Amino acid sequence: MNNTNESCLPIAQPMSIPVLMCLVSFIGFIQNVFSLWVFCCRLSSWSAGTVLQFNLALSDTLATPVTPLIAVYFLMGNNWTFGQFLCQVKIALMSSHFYGSTIFLTLISVHRYTAVAHFNKSSRMKNKRFIMKLCAGVWLLLLAQSVVYCFVVPQTKVGNHPQCLSFSQRTLSNSMFVINFVLFLFGFLLPLSISASCYFRLTNILTRLNTSTPKGLKVKLKSQRMIRMCLVIFGVCFLPMNVTRMIAAVLTKYFPHHCDTVHQVQTAYYASWVVAGLNCCLDLLLYCFGSQNFRDAFPSWKKSPTDYQQRSESETTANY
C-alpha cells in the first residue's frame, strides 16, 4: 500500500458495497414512503406512540437523497467530485439518519415501558402534545450535531483524491476521533442502555401482569415484541457500524501508517452501512407491532371511511 507523510492513500471499495447499498436504500425508501403515507393519509387520529413512529419513519428517509452520491463516490475509487456543499449535505443527512433512528427507537422503548408500567397513572410520555415538543427538540439536536459534524470534518484532499468523511483524511484524525467517541457514547451506547433497561424492567413487570384475560395477554405480547424489536435493530443494524467506525478512528489516530489494516477496517465500516440501512426495512415491523391502527390500514380500503374512523377513535387509548 502507498503511504504519504499524512495518510494512506484511499483505495477503491468492492463493487458489492455500492450495489447492495443502493438496493437496500431503494427497498427502505419504498417501505418508508408507504409508512409515511399510512401515517398521514390513512390514520384519522394520532396517539403519542404514533407521533414517535412517524418521526422514526421520517428520519429513515433522510439518507435516501445522498445514497446515489455515495455509491458513485465508491465506484470512482473514493474520489469525492461533488464539492464541499454536497459533502456537508451528505454528512448532515447521514448522521441525522443514523442517530435520529437510535434516538426515536429509544423514545419508543421508553414510551412503551411507561405505558405499561404506569398504566393507571398520568405521564408526560403518554401526552401527545409533550411528545410532539420532545420530537421537535430531537430534530433541533440533530440539526446542531449535523452542523458541528459538517464543519469539524470538511472535505479535504489526500494526494490528488478529494475525500469526504473518509478515514484516509489523516489531517482530521484528531477531530474524527473526538466526534466519533462522542457519537459512540451518546448516540449509540446511551440509547442502547436505556432501551435494554426498559426491556428488562418491562419483562419483570409483565411477569406479574394478569395474562389470564385476552387484554392482559395482548398488552404483554405487544410490549415485549416492540422493545425486543428495538433491541434487535440496535444490535443487528447499528452495533457493527458504530464499533467498526470507532476502531477505524483509533487506528487512524494512533496507527496511521498501518495502511493494510486501516483499509480493511474502513471497508468493513462501509459494508456496515449496508447492514445499518436494513433498519429502514425492519422499522416497518415495529410499526405493525406498535399500532393496531397501522395494521388495520392495510385492508382499510375495503372499509367505509366512517367505519375506519370509528375503529381508529376507539383504539387510540389502547395504542397510546
Side-chain angles (χ1 to χ4, degrees):
M1 294 297 175
N2 294 325
N3 290 1
T4 68
N5 292 331
E6 293 183 345
S7 63
C8 305
L9 292 177
I11 61 171
Q13 299 302 320
M15 179 72 71
S16 58
I17 291 180
V19 171
L20 289 175
M21 185 178 295
C22 290
L23 178 62
V24 170
S25 177
F26 177 74
I27 295 174
F29 175 72
I30 296 299
Q31 292 188 352
N32 283 313
V33 168
F34 172 75
S35 298
L36 291 172
W37 173 76
V38 171
F39 286 129
C40 295
C41 302
R42 305 302 299 181
L43 300 186
S44 58
S45 61
W46 284 18
S47 64
T50 306
V51 173
L52 290 173
Q53 293 162 19
F54 171 79
N55 281 274
L56 176 60
L58 197 60
S59 69
D60 284 343
T61 62
L62 291 179
T64 303
V66 294
T67 300
L69 299 182
I70 298 173
V72 173
Y73 172 55
F74 290 152
L75 292 174
M76 294 181 65
N78 280 31
N79 288 316
W80 184 264
T81 60
F82 303 106
Q84 176 69 26
F85 175 72
L86 286 181
C87 177
Q88 292 175 327
V89 171
K90 165 197 167 184
I91 295 173
L93 292 182
M94 292 296 291
S95 61
S96 296
H97 160 63
F98 287 133
Y99 295 103
S101 295
T102 59
I103 292 174
F104 287 118
L105 283 170
T106 303
L107 291 177
I108 288 173
S109 297
V110 173
H111 170 264
R112 193 67 242 167
Y113 167 77
T114 304
V116 175
H118 305 286
F119 183 79
N120 294 320
K121 300 178 182 179
S122 61
S123 172
R124 302 188 75 179
M125 286 300 296
K126 294 188 287 186
N127 185 291
K128 185 172 72 172
R129 187 177 297 275
F130 172 76
I131 291 296
M132 293 175 67
K133 294 179 180 178
L134 184 62
C135 290
V138 170
W139 286 112
L140 289 176
L141 177 64
L142 292 173
L143 177 61
Q145 69 91 21
S146 297
V147 170
V148 172
Y149 208 165
C150 288
F151 288 99
V152 170
V153 188
Q155 174 185 324
T156 62
K157 277 193 173 183
V158 179
N160 294 322
H161 304 272
Q163 298 289 289
C164 176
L165 196 60
S166 168
F167 288 102
S168 297
Q169 296 171 282
R170 178 70 181 95
T171 56
L172 302 176
S173 60
N174 291 331
S175 300
M176 294 184 72
F177 178 81
V178 171
I179 196 167
N180 284 326
F181 179 79
V182 172
L183 290 175
F184 181 75
L185 184 62
F186 295 103
F188 175 71
L189 281 184
L190 181 60
L192 175 60
S193 300
I194 294 174
S195 295
S197 176
C198 288
Y199 176 74
F200 289 115
R201 294 179 68 180
L202 184 61
T203 300
N204 184 49
I205 291 173
L206 291 175
T207 57
R208 304 191 299 269
L209 187 68
N210 181 14
T211 58
S212 60
T213 64
K215 182 177 180 180
L217 182 61
K218 181 179 179 181
V219 170
K220 177 178 181 177
L221 293 176
K222 174 182 174 181
S223 302
Q224 284 183 323
R225 285 183 302 183
M226 278 191 68
I227 301 184
R228 189 184 297 127
M229 180 57 66
C230 290
L231 292 176
V232 167
I233 293 172
F234 268 109
V236 173
C237 299
F238 296 124
L239 179 62
M241 181 192 71
N242 282 276
V243 170
T244 54
R245 188 181 60 193
M246 197 65 236
I247 294 173
V250 171
L251 288 174
T252 305
K253 178 175 174 60
Y254 295 106
F255 307 98
H257 300 301
H258 289 65
C259 292
D260 286 337
T261 304
V262 170
H263 287 146
Q264 290 171 2
V265 173
Q266 181 164 274
T267 298
Y269 170 58
Y270 290 142
S272 71
W273 282 13
V274 178
V275 180
L278 291 175
N279 82 291
C280 298
C281 306
L282 294 176
D283 284 342
L284 182 62
L285 298 178
L286 188 66
Y287 309 143
C288 293
F289 289 154
S291 175
Q292 181 67 41
N293 290 341
F294 192 94
R295 292 195 298 272
D296 290 342
F298 287 94
S300 60
W301 52 82
K302 298 179 182 180
K303 304 176 184 179
S304 68
T306 303
D307 291 340
Y308 183 81
Q309 183 174 1
Q310 288 175 350
R311 182 174 179 85
S312 177
E313 291 173 350
S314 66
E315 293 176 341
T316 299
T317 304
N319 287 329
Y320 287 107

Coordinates of all heavy atoms in Angstrom, one line a residue, residues 1-72:
M1 N 0.8 -1.2 0.0 CA 0.0 0.0 0.0 C 0.9 1.3 0.0 O 2.0 1.2 0.6 CB -0.9 0.0 1.2 CG -1.9 -1.1 1.2 SD -3.1 -1.0 -0.2 CE -4.0 -2.5 0.1
N2 N 0.4 2.3 -0.6 CA 1.1 3.5 -0.7 C 0.9 4.3 0.6 O -0.2 4.4 1.1 CB 0.7 4.3 -1.9 CG 1.0 3.6 -3.2 OD1 2.1 3.0 -3.3 ND2 0.2 3.8 -4.2
N3 N 2.0 5.0 1.1 CA 1.9 5.8 2.2 C 2.3 7.2 1.8 O 3.1 7.4 0.9 CB 2.9 5.4 3.3 CG 2.4 4.1 3.9 OD1 1.4 3.5 3.6 ND2 3.2 3.6 4.9
T4 N 1.9 8.2 2.5 CA 2.3 9.6 2.4 C 2.7 10.0 3.8 O 2.5 9.3 4.8 CB 1.2 10.5 1.8 OG1 0.2 10.6 2.8 CG2 0.7 10.0 0.5
N5 N 3.2 11.2 3.9 CA 3.5 11.7 5.3 C 2.3 12.0 6.1 O 2.3 12.1 7.3 CB 4.3 13.0 5.1 CG 5.7 12.8 4.6 OD1 6.3 11.7 4.8 ND2 6.3 13.7 3.9
E6 N 1.2 12.1 5.4 CA -0.1 12.5 6.1 C -0.9 11.3 6.3 O -1.5 11.1 7.4 CB -0.9 13.5 5.3 CG -0.2 14.9 5.2 CD -1.0 15.9 4.5 OE1 -2.0 15.5 3.8 OE2 -0.8 17.1 4.6
S7 N -1.1 10.4 5.4 CA -2.0 9.3 5.5 C -1.8 8.2 4.4 O -0.9 8.3 3.6 CB -3.5 9.8 5.3 OG -3.6 10.4 4.0
C8 N -2.6 7.2 4.5 CA -2.6 6.2 3.5 C -3.5 6.7 2.4 O -4.6 7.2 2.6 CB -3.2 4.8 4.0 SG -2.3 4.2 5.5
L9 N -3.1 6.4 1.1 CA -3.9 6.9 0.0 C -5.2 6.0 0.0 O -5.2 4.8 0.3 CB -3.2 6.7 -1.3 CG -2.0 7.6 -1.5 CD1 -1.3 7.3 -2.8 CD2 -2.4 9.1 -1.5
P10 N -6.4 6.6 -0.4 CA -7.6 5.9 -0.4 C -7.6 4.8 -1.5 O -6.9 4.9 -2.5 CB -8.6 6.9 -0.8 CG -7.9 8.0 -1.4 CD -6.5 8.0 -0.8
I11 N -8.3 3.8 -1.3 CA -8.4 2.7 -2.3 C -9.9 2.5 -2.7 O -10.8 2.9 -2.0 CB -7.9 1.3 -1.8 CG1 -8.7 0.9 -0.5 CG2 -6.4 1.5 -1.4 CD1 -8.4 -0.5 -0.1
A12 N -10.1 1.9 -3.9 CA -11.5 1.6 -4.3 C -12.1 0.6 -3.5 O -11.4 -0.3 -3.0 CB -11.5 1.2 -5.8
Q13 N -13.4 0.7 -3.3 CA -14.2 -0.3 -2.5 C -14.8 -1.4 -3.4 O -14.9 -1.1 -4.6 CB -15.3 0.4 -1.7 CG -14.8 1.5 -0.8 CD -13.8 0.9 0.3 OE1 -14.0 -0.1 0.8 NE2 -12.8 1.7 0.6
P14 N -15.0 -2.5 -2.8 CA -15.6 -3.6 -3.7 C -16.9 -3.2 -4.3 O -17.7 -2.4 -3.7 CB -15.9 -4.7 -2.6 CG -14.9 -4.5 -1.5 CD -14.7 -3.0 -1.5
M15 N -17.2 -3.6 -5.5 CA -18.4 -3.2 -6.2 C -19.6 -3.6 -5.5 O -20.7 -3.0 -5.6 CB -18.4 -3.9 -7.6 CG -19.6 -3.6 -8.5 SD -19.6 -1.9 -9.1 CE -18.3 -2.0 -10.3
S16 N -19.6 -4.7 -4.7 CA -20.8 -5.2 -4.0 C -21.3 -4.2 -3.0 O -22.5 -4.1 -2.7 CB -20.5 -6.5 -3.2 OG -19.4 -6.3 -2.3
I17 N -20.4 -3.3 -2.4 CA -20.9 -2.4 -1.4 C -21.8 -1.3 -2.0 O -22.9 -1.2 -1.5 CB -19.7 -1.7 -0.7 CG1 -18.9 -2.7 0.2 CG2 -20.1 -0.5 0.2 CD1 -17.7 -2.2 0.9
P18 N -21.5 -0.6 -3.0 CA -22.4 0.4 -3.6 C -23.7 -0.2 -4.1 O -24.8 0.3 -4.1 CB -21.6 1.1 -4.6 CG -20.5 0.3 -5.0 CD -20.2 -0.5 -3.7
V19 N -23.5 -1.4 -4.7 CA -24.7 -2.1 -5.3 C -25.7 -2.5 -4.2 O -26.9 -2.2 -4.3 CB -24.3 -3.4 -6.1 CG1 -25.5 -4.2 -6.5 CG2 -23.5 -3.0 -7.3
L20 N -25.2 -3.1 -3.1 CA -26.1 -3.5 -2.0 C -26.6 -2.3 -1.3 O -27.8 -2.3 -0.9 CB -25.3 -4.4 -1.1 CG -25.0 -5.8 -1.6 CD1 -24.1 -6.6 -0.5 CD2 -26.3 -6.6 -1.8
M21 N -25.8 -1.2 -1.2 CA -26.3 0.0 -0.5 C -27.4 0.6 -1.3 O -28.5 1.0 -0.7 CB -25.1 1.0 -0.4 CG -25.4 2.2 0.3 SD -24.0 3.4 0.4 CE -22.9 2.4 1.4
C22 N -27.4 0.7 -2.6 CA -28.5 1.2 -3.4 C -29.7 0.3 -3.3 O -30.8 0.8 -3.2 CB -28.0 1.4 -4.8 SG -26.8 2.7 -5.1
L23 N -29.5 -1.0 -3.3 CA -30.6 -1.9 -3.3 C -31.4 -1.8 -1.9 O -32.6 -1.7 -1.9 CB -30.1 -3.3 -3.5 CG -31.2 -4.4 -3.4 CD1 -32.2 -4.3 -4.5 CD2 -30.5 -5.8 -3.5
V24 N -30.6 -1.8 -0.8 CA -31.2 -1.7 0.5 C -31.9 -0.3 0.6 O -33.0 -0.2 1.2 CB -30.2 -1.9 1.6 CG1 -30.7 -1.5 3.0 CG2 -29.7 -3.3 1.6
S25 N -31.2 0.7 0.1 CA -31.8 2.1 0.2 C -33.1 2.2 -0.6 O -34.1 2.8 -0.1 CB -30.8 3.1 -0.3 OG -31.4 4.4 -0.3
F26 N -33.2 1.6 -1.7 CA -34.4 1.6 -2.6 C -35.5 0.9 -1.9 O -36.7 1.4 -1.8 CB -34.1 1.0 -3.9 CG -35.3 0.9 -4.8 CD1 -35.8 2.1 -5.4 CD2 -36.0 -0.3 -5.0 CE1 -36.9 2.0 -6.2 CE2 -37.1 -0.3 -5.9 CZ -37.6 0.8 -6.4
I27 N -35.3 -0.3 -1.3 CA -36.3 -1.1 -0.6 C -36.8 -0.3 0.6 O -38.0 -0.2 0.8 CB -35.8 -2.5 -0.3 CG1 -35.5 -3.3 -1.5 CG2 -36.8 -3.2 0.6 CD1 -34.8 -4.6 -1.2
G28 N -35.8 0.2 1.3 CA -36.2 1.0 2.5 C -37.0 2.3 2.2 O -37.9 2.6 2.9
F29 N -36.6 2.9 1.1 CA -37.3 4.1 0.7 C -38.8 3.8 0.3 O -39.7 4.5 0.7 CB -36.6 4.7 -0.6 CG -37.3 5.9 -1.2 CD1 -37.4 7.1 -0.5 CD2 -38.0 5.8 -2.4 CE1 -38.0 8.2 -1.0 CE2 -38.7 6.8 -2.9 CZ -38.7 8.1 -2.3
I30 N -39.0 2.7 -0.4 CA -40.4 2.3 -0.8 C -41.2 2.0 0.5 O -42.3 2.5 0.6 CB -40.4 1.1 -1.7 CG1 -39.7 1.4 -3.0 CG2 -41.8 0.6 -1.9 CD1 -40.4 2.5 -3.8
Q31 N -40.6 1.3 1.4 CA -41.3 1.0 2.7 C -41.6 2.2 3.5 O -42.7 2.4 4.1 CB -40.5 0.0 3.5 CG -40.4 -1.4 2.9 CD -39.8 -2.4 3.8 OE1 -39.3 -2.1 4.8 NE2 -39.8 -3.7 3.4
N32 N -40.6 3.2 3.6 CA -40.8 4.4 4.4 C -41.8 5.3 3.7 O -42.6 5.9 4.4 CB -39.5 5.1 4.6 CG -38.6 4.4 5.6 OD1 -39.1 4.1 6.7 ND2 -37.4 4.2 5.3
V33 N -41.8 5.4 2.4 CA -42.9 6.2 1.7 C -44.2 5.6 2.0 O -45.2 6.3 2.3 CB -42.6 6.3 0.2 CG1 -43.8 6.8 -0.5 CG2 -41.4 7.1 -0.1
F34 N -44.3 4.3 2.0 CA -45.6 3.6 2.3 C -46.0 3.9 3.7 O -47.2 4.2 4.0 CB -45.5 2.1 2.1 CG -46.7 1.4 2.5 CD1 -47.9 1.4 1.8 CD2 -46.6 0.6 3.7 CE1 -49.0 0.7 2.3 CE2 -47.8 -0.1 4.2 CZ -48.9 0.0 3.4
S35 N -45.0 3.8 4.7 CA -45.3 4.1 6.1 C -45.8 5.5 6.3 O -46.8 5.7 7.0 CB -44.1 3.7 6.9 OG -43.7 2.4 6.8
L36 N -45.1 6.4 5.7 CA -45.5 7.8 5.9 C -46.8 8.1 5.3 O -47.6 8.9 5.8 CB -44.4 8.7 5.2 CG -43.1 8.8 5.9 CD1 -42.1 9.6 5.0 CD2 -43.1 9.4 7.3
W37 N -47.1 7.4 4.2 CA -48.5 7.6 3.6 C -49.6 7.0 4.5 O -50.6 7.7 4.6 CB -48.5 6.8 2.2 CG -49.9 6.8 1.6 CD1 -50.5 7.8 1.0 CD2 -50.8 5.7 1.6 NE1 -51.8 7.4 0.5 CE2 -51.9 6.1 0.9 CE3 -50.7 4.4 2.1 CZ2 -53.0 5.2 0.7 CZ3 -51.7 3.5 1.9 CH2 -52.9 3.9 1.2
V38 N -49.3 5.9 5.1 CA -50.3 5.4 6.1 C -50.5 6.3 7.2 O -51.6 6.6 7.6 CB -49.8 4.0 6.6 CG1 -50.7 3.5 7.7 CG2 -49.8 3.0 5.5
F39 N -49.4 6.8 7.8 CA -49.5 7.7 8.9 C -50.3 9.0 8.6 O -51.1 9.5 9.3 CB -48.1 8.1 9.4 CG -47.4 7.1 10.2 CD1 -46.1 6.7 9.9 CD2 -48.0 6.4 11.3 CE1 -45.4 5.7 10.6 CE2 -47.4 5.4 12.0 CZ -46.1 5.0 11.6
C40 N -50.0 9.6 7.4 CA -50.5 10.9 7.0 C -51.9 10.8 6.4 O -52.8 11.6 6.6 CB -49.6 11.6 6.0 SG -48.0 12.0 6.7
C41 N -52.2 9.7 5.7 CA -53.4 9.6 4.9 C -54.4 8.6 5.3 O -55.6 8.7 5.0 CB -53.1 9.4 3.4 SG -52.0 10.6 2.7
R42 N -54.0 7.6 6.1 CA -54.9 6.5 6.4 C -55.3 6.5 7.9 O -56.2 5.8 8.3 CB -54.3 5.2 6.1 CG -53.9 5.0 4.6 CD -55.0 5.2 3.7 NE -56.1 4.3 3.8 CZ -57.2 4.3 3.1 NH1 -57.3 5.2 2.1 NH2 -58.1 3.4 3.3
L43 N -54.6 7.2 8.8 CA -54.9 7.3 10.2 C -55.7 8.6 10.5 O -55.2 9.7 10.3 CB -53.6 7.2 11.0 CG -52.8 6.0 10.9 CD1 -51.7 6.0 11.9 CD2 -53.6 4.7 11.0
S44 N -56.9 8.4 11.0 CA -57.7 9.6 11.3 C -57.3 10.3 12.5 O -57.6 11.5 12.7 CB -59.2 9.2 11.4 OG -59.3 8.2 12.4
S45 N -56.6 9.6 13.4 CA -56.2 10.3 14.7 C -54.8 9.6 15.1 O -54.6 8.5 14.8 CB -57.2 10.1 15.8 OG -57.4 8.7 16.1
W46 N -54.0 10.5 15.7 CA -52.7 10.0 16.1 C -52.6 10.0 17.7 O -53.2 10.8 18.3 CB -51.6 11.0 15.6 CG -51.3 10.9 14.2 CD1 -52.0 10.3 13.2 CD2 -50.1 11.3 13.5 NE1 -51.4 10.3 12.0 CE2 -50.2 11.0 12.2 CE3 -49.0 12.0 14.0 CZ2 -49.3 11.3 11.2 CZ3 -48.0 12.4 13.0 CH2 -48.1 12.0 11.7
S47 N -51.9 9.0 18.1 CA -51.6 8.9 19.6 C -50.1 9.3 19.8 O -49.4 9.6 18.8 CB -51.8 7.4 20.1 OG -50.8 6.6 19.4
A48 N -49.7 9.4 21.0 CA -48.3 9.7 21.3 C -47.3 8.7 20.7 O -46.3 9.1 20.1 CB -48.1 9.8 22.8
G49 N -47.7 7.4 20.7 CA -46.9 6.4 20.1 C -46.8 6.6 18.6 O -45.7 6.4 18.0
T50 N -47.9 7.0 17.9 CA -47.9 7.2 16.5 C -47.0 8.4 16.1 O -46.3 8.3 15.1 CB -49.3 7.5 16.0 OG1 -50.2 6.5 16.5 CG2 -49.4 7.6 14.5
V51 N -47.0 9.4 16.9 CA -46.1 10.5 16.7 C -44.6 10.1 16.6 O -43.8 10.5 15.7 CB -46.3 11.7 17.7 CG1 -45.2 12.8 17.5 CG2 -47.7 12.2 17.6
L52 N -44.2 9.3 17.6 CA -42.9 8.8 17.7 C -42.5 7.9 16.4 O -41.5 8.0 15.8 CB -42.6 8.0 18.9 CG -42.6 8.8 20.2 CD1 -42.6 7.8 21.4 CD2 -41.4 9.7 20.3
Q53 N -43.5 7.0 16.1 CA -43.3 6.2 14.9 C -43.2 7.0 13.6 O -42.4 6.6 12.7 CB -44.4 5.1 14.9 CG -44.4 4.1 16.0 CD -45.7 3.4 16.2 OE1 -46.5 3.4 15.3 NE2 -45.9 2.9 17.4
F54 N -44.0 8.0 13.5 CA -43.9 8.8 12.3 C -42.5 9.5 12.2 O -41.9 9.6 11.1 CB -45.0 9.9 12.4 CG -44.9 11.0 11.3 CD1 -45.3 10.7 10.0 CD2 -44.3 12.2 11.6 CE1 -45.2 11.7 9.0 CE2 -44.2 13.2 10.6 CZ -44.6 12.9 9.3
N55 N -42.0 10.0 13.3 CA -40.7 10.7 13.3 C -39.6 9.7 13.0 O -38.6 10.1 12.4 CB -40.5 11.4 14.6 CG -41.2 12.8 14.7 OD1 -40.7 13.8 14.2 ND2 -42.4 12.8 15.2
L56 N -39.7 8.5 13.5 CA -38.8 7.4 13.1 C -38.8 7.2 11.6 O -37.7 7.1 11.0 CB -39.1 6.2 13.9 CG -38.2 4.9 13.6 CD1 -36.7 5.2 13.9 CD2 -38.7 3.7 14.4
A57 N -39.9 7.1 11.0 CA -40.0 6.9 9.6 C -39.4 8.0 8.8 O -38.8 7.9 7.8 CB -41.5 6.6 9.2
L58 N -39.7 9.2 9.3 CA -39.1 10.4 8.7 C -37.6 10.4 8.7 O -36.9 10.8 7.7 CB -39.7 11.7 9.4 CG -39.6 13.0 8.7 CD1 -40.3 13.0 7.3 CD2 -40.1 14.1 9.5
S59 N -37.0 10.1 9.9 CA -35.6 10.0 10.0 C -35.0 8.9 9.1 O -33.8 9.1 8.6 CB -35.1 9.8 11.4 OG -35.5 8.5 11.9
D60 N -35.7 7.9 8.8 CA -35.3 6.8 8.0 C -35.1 7.2 6.5 O -34.3 6.6 5.8 CB -36.2 5.6 8.1 CG -36.0 4.8 9.4 OD1 -35.0 5.0 10.0 OD2 -37.0 4.0 9.7
T61 N -35.9 8.2 6.1 CA -35.8 8.6 4.7 C -34.7 9.6 4.4 O -34.4 9.9 3.2 CB -37.2 9.3 4.3 OG1 -37.4 10.5 5.1 CG2 -38.3 8.3 4.5
L62 N -34.0 10.1 5.4 CA -33.0 11.2 5.2 C -31.8 10.7 4.4 O -31.3 11.6 3.7 CB -32.6 11.7 6.6 CG -33.6 12.5 7.4 CD1 -33.0 12.9 8.7 CD2 -34.1 13.7 6.6
A63 N -31.4 9.5 4.5 CA -30.2 9.0 3.8 C -30.5 8.8 2.3 O -29.5 8.7 1.5 CB -29.7 7.8 4.5
T64 N -31.8 8.7 1.9 CA -32.1 8.3 0.5 C -31.5 9.3 -0.5 O -30.9 8.8 -1.5 CB -33.6 8.2 0.4 OG1 -34.1 7.2 1.3 CG2 -33.9 7.7 -1.0
P65 N -31.6 10.6 -0.3 CA -31.1 11.5 -1.4 C -29.6 11.4 -1.6 O -29.2 11.7 -2.8 CB -31.5 12.9 -0.9 CG -32.6 12.7 0.1 CD -32.3 11.3 0.8
V66 N -28.8 11.1 -0.6 CA -27.4 11.1 -0.8 C -26.8 9.7 -1.1 O -25.6 9.5 -1.4 CB -26.7 11.7 0.4 CG1 -27.0 13.1 0.6 CG2 -27.0 10.9 1.7
T67 N -27.6 8.6 -1.0 CA -27.1 7.3 -1.3 C -26.6 7.1 -2.7 O -25.5 6.5 -2.9 CB -28.2 6.2 -1.1 OG1 -28.7 6.3 0.3 CG2 -27.7 4.8 -1.3
P68 N -27.2 7.7 -3.8 CA -26.6 7.6 -5.1 C -25.2 8.3 -5.2 O -24.3 7.8 -5.9 CB -27.6 8.2 -6.0 CG -28.9 8.1 -5.3 CD -28.6 8.2 -3.8
L69 N -25.1 9.4 -4.5 CA -23.8 10.1 -4.5 C -22.7 9.3 -3.8 O -21.6 9.2 -4.3 CB -23.9 11.5 -3.7 CG -24.9 12.5 -4.3 CD1 -24.9 13.8 -3.5 CD2 -24.6 12.7 -5.8
I70 N -23.1 8.6 -2.7 CA -22.1 7.8 -2.0 C -21.7 6.6 -2.9 O -20.5 6.2 -2.9 CB -22.7 7.3 -0.7 CG1 -23.0 8.5 0.2 CG2 -21.7 6.3 0.0 CD1 -23.7 8.1 1.5
A71 N -22.7 6.0 -3.6 CA -22.4 4.9 -4.5 C -21.4 5.3 -5.6 O -20.5 4.6 -5.9 CB -23.7 4.3 -5.1
V72 N -21.7 6.5 -6.2 CA -20.8 7.0 -7.2 C -19.4 7.2 -6.7 O -18.4 7.0 -7.3 CB -21.4 8.2 -7.9 CG1 -20.4 8.9 -8.9 CG2 -22.7 7.9 -8.6

